[in-house]
Amino acid sequence: MNYAQRQVADIAANLPGATQVFRNHKIDFCCGGQVPLAEAVAARGESLAAIEAELAALESSEVQAPLSNDALIGHILERYHATHRAELPELVRLAARVEARHVENPLAPHGIHAALVEAGEALEEHMQKEEQILFPLMRSGGHPMIHAPVGRMRHEHDEHGERLANLEAIAHGFSLPEEACPTWRALYAGVRKLIDDVHQHIHLENNVLFPRFEA
C-alpha cells in the first residue's frame, strides 16, 4: 500500500504496530500527526521507502497451518509468541499514556493499563511453559503423560479468553468518541489486533495442534 500521502495519525490509528515504527524513527504520530507521511519523513531526513516497507510488513497476512508438528510449532512460535512479545510493551505504553491524558473523560478506557499488564504477564508465563515443557515434548514425538500439560494449557487458554473479554469491556467495545486522540485510536487498534491474534493462537493450539497428541 502507498502510505506517502496518508496522514501519520491516520496510519497510527488504523495499522497496529505502526506507532512503534514511528517511535523508532522519532516521527510524531499524535499532536503533530496531521501531516502526510512523506512530509513527516522528509522533516526527519529519513527514507520514505524504508519506512513504507516497515509499515507494509505489518500487513502480512495469515498463512495456512503447516502439516507437520514441528513446522506448526515453529509457526506458532514465530507468528504468535514473537508477535505478542513485540507488540505488548507498546500497547502497555500507549495505555498508560491514554489513561493519564484522559483521566477526566468517562469514555476513556480506565483500567486498561493494569489489565494489559496482567494479560501480558499471564501470556508470557503461559508461553514459557509451552516453550520449555510442552513443545519440546511434542517435537520429540510425544510422551505418555502429555495429557496433563495439554490439559493445563487448555485451562489457561480459557483464562486468557476471560482476560481478553475484560479488555474489550474496559475499551467499551472499542467504541471511540469523536474527541479521541490518535494515541487512543492506535491503542484500540492494537488491542483489537492482540485479541484477534490471541484467539487465532488459541485456535491453532486447541483445534489443530493439541488433538494430534490427544488421540
Side-chain angles (χ1 to χ4, degrees):
M1 181 180 289
N2 185 356
Y3 292 96
Q5 298 308 314
R6 285 182 60 184
Q7 289 193 349
V8 174
D10 177 61
I11 299 170
N14 292 285
L15 181 59
T19 60
Q20 183 65 58
V21 173
F22 294 149
R23 287 183 65 229
N24 291 343
H25 294 279
K26 295 181 172 55
I27 294 174
D28 186 357
F29 62 86
C30 193
C31 299
Q34 308 300 323
V35 297
L37 178 64
E39 181 179 330
V41 171
R44 293 292 311 165
E46 298 272 359
S47 166
L48 176 61
I51 293 176
E52 283 191 312
E54 290 184 48
L55 295 173
L58 297 174
E59 294 191 328
S60 58
S61 59
E62 290 292 334
V63 300
Q64 293 293 321
L67 295 179
S68 75
N69 295 333
D70 190 66
L72 177 54
I73 290 170
H75 170 65
I76 290 171
L77 291 172
E78 180 179 352
R79 172 59 183 86
Y80 296 104
H81 286 213
T83 298
H84 300 331
R85 286 174 173 137
E87 295 182 353
L88 266 163
E90 175 69 0
L91 293 179
V92 169
R93 189 195 71 83
L94 291 174
R97 189 173 178 183
V98 168
E99 287 199 70
R101 289 192 172 187
H102 302 279
V103 66
E104 302 295 335
N105 191 330
L107 299 178
H110 301 295
I112 197 168
H113 176 264
L116 274 169
V117 170
E118 179 186 354
E121 289 176 348
L123 192 58
E124 176 61 31
E125 181 180 352
H126 177 86
M127 292 189 297
Q128 288 190 24
K129 290 176 186 175
E130 291 183 334
E131 294 165 4
Q132 297 171 11
I133 301 172
L134 185 59
F135 289 170
L137 285 177
M138 291 178 166
R139 281 179 151 162
S140 67
H143 187 278
M145 302 301 292
I146 202 169
H147 291 79
V150 167
R152 181 60 192 171
M153 294 301 97
R154 285 189 180 277
H155 175 70
E156 291 185 7
H157 286 170
D158 292 339
E159 294 178 333
H160 292 322
E162 293 173 2
R163 293 187 187 93
L164 297 180
N166 182 51
L167 281 171
E168 186 165 358
I170 292 173
H172 310 290
F174 304 112
S175 176
L176 284 160
E178 291 184 4
E179 68 271 19
C181 67
T183 301
W184 188 345
R185 295 176 186 275
L187 171 65
Y188 277 13
V191 174
R192 186 183 294 112
K193 179 180 183 293
L194 172 70
I195 290 174
D196 289 344
D197 278 356
V198 174
H199 279 308
Q200 181 64 17
H201 179 180
I202 290 173
H203 158 71
L204 281 178
E205 293 185 350
N206 278 1
N207 302 322
V208 181
L209 180 62
F210 291 172
R212 299 179 182 184
F213 296 86
E214 293 174 317

